[in-house]
Amino acid sequence: MNTSTNCTGCFLIASPYLHDGNFFRSVVLIIRHTDDGAFGVVINRVGRQRFGDVIAMSDPSWEAGAKPKIDLTSATQNDFAEDSSGSVDQQVHPDQIYLGGPVDGPVLALHNIAGIGDPCGVEGTEAGSKTQLHDHPAEPWGSMSIQWADVPAWVTADEDHLRLLARRDDVKLRYIVGYSGWGPMQLENELNEGGWLVTPADAESIFGPSEEIWEKLVHRCGQAIMKDLTPDVSFPSEQQGFDPGVN
């Protein structure tokens, strides 16, 4: 595979030329992209369920009044359903479960605690060096050796990890059920047809307000294109935005 087309660790932003209704105005974090295909999760489609409402209740200290159990390892999209109310992020609870794509899969967590699960956007073991972590919350023996890299997020589907993350106040976290998958050369073909815009993933966007992420990243990609076409022209930052009174 040509490395220039490898989308591991990138966002795919659905363009107006993408005809698949499953991805309308979607942003997908690509966790792995190889010659065998690609795997990622939509990060801006909010479901109606909360993790605390559906977790299997093996811990009696879990919050009271939990809803009926759902097996997190075999749940399907129908168990969670999309929030069709046009919710705003002020109404989205920290443990809300997002819908990661049209393919059924277990509940997983994207988060920022290094060493819990696997790093997103890392190809093989050459991306970082081994680091010993002491008193790590995911390791019962108090320390663990991980493959360290500067990554935008970590991902895990381990139920013990999911429970642990839900109880931490210092974590940036997004629960996701289901995923998006592409077979060999399928994503490359969609990219060649103009179906997706591509930009490197960053933690601020992964864990930021989901209702704003599509527009923010389209804006970012548009600026990058314009900078390539007009390298001598300065453009405002994402935080500054555009002044419509300036031509």
Side-chain angles (χ1 to χ4, degrees):
M1 176 183 295
N2 188 328
T3 56
S4 65
T5 64
N6 193 303
C7 296
T8 300
C10 291
F11 289 131
L12 301 184
I13 305 103
S15 82
Y17 302 103
L18 185 66
H19 301 299
D20 188 338
N22 291 311
F23 295 107
F24 176 71
R25 292 174 68 92
S26 288
V27 175
V28 182
L29 171 63
I30 296 297
I31 296 172
R32 183 176 65 251
H33 187 189
T34 69
D35 291 329
D36 296 324
F39 159 78
V41 290
V42 177
I43 63 169
N44 64 332
R45 182 167 293 173
V46 184
R48 291 202 301 263
Q49 297 281 6
R50 289 175 50 194
F51 179 78
D53 292 336
V54 301
I55 189 171
M57 299 295 292
S58 61
D59 183 353
S61 66
W62 198 264
E63 61 185 8
K67 302 291 179 60
K69 303 175 186 178
I70 294 177
D71 184 351
L72 299 180
T73 62
S74 60
T76 69
Q77 296 279 13
N78 292 332
D79 291 320
F80 297 91
E82 185 171 0
D83 185 354
S84 59
S85 62
S87 65
V88 296
D89 274 80
Q90 289 82 352
Q91 300 173 345
V92 176
H93 194 275
D95 71 347
Q96 206 85 22
I97 296 178
Y98 287 69
L99 307 181
V103 185
D104 287 333
V107 176
L108 56 83
L110 292 174
H111 63 90
N112 68 332
I113 305 296
I116 300 182
D118 298 312
C120 299
V122 175
E123 300 174 62
T125 60
E126 298 180 359
S129 59
K130 289 207 171 185
T131 300
Q132 190 76 14
L133 299 183
H134 299 283
D135 300 321
H136 195 278
E139 173 54 56
W141 304 109
S143 66
M144 66 185 301
S145 180
I146 66 167
Q147 200 70 28
W148 183 264
D150 182 14
V151 297
W154 293 70
V155 60
T156 181
D158 182 271
E159 188 169 331
D160 289 336
H161 289 174
L162 302 185
R163 292 170 179 268
L164 180 152
L165 291 165
R167 294 187 179 279
R168 293 191 58 155
D169 296 328
D170 61 339
V171 63
K172 294 181 179 179
L173 177 65
R174 186 149 293 182
Y175 288 107
I176 298 177
V177 65
Y179 67 94
S180 306
W182 293 263
M185 295 305 298
Q186 184 179 358
L187 179 55
E188 287 81 353
N189 291 336
E190 292 181 9
L191 290 170
N192 290 335
E193 293 171 358
W196 300 99
L197 302 172
V198 182
T199 191
D202 63 283
E204 180 182 356
S205 298
I206 292 173
F207 303 112
S210 61
E211 65 180 20
E212 301 173 0
I213 182 64
W214 187 83
E215 290 87 351
K216 172 186 173 183
L217 293 179
V218 167
H219 182 184
R220 178 188 298 176
C221 291
Q223 281 197 337
I225 293 170
M226 292 302 297
K227 285 179 180 178
D228 288 341
L229 295 175
T230 55
D232 297 328
V233 178
S234 62
F235 293 89
S237 66
E238 291 180 10
Q239 290 75 21
Q240 292 173 317
F242 285 104
D243 182 352
V246 177
N247 292 324

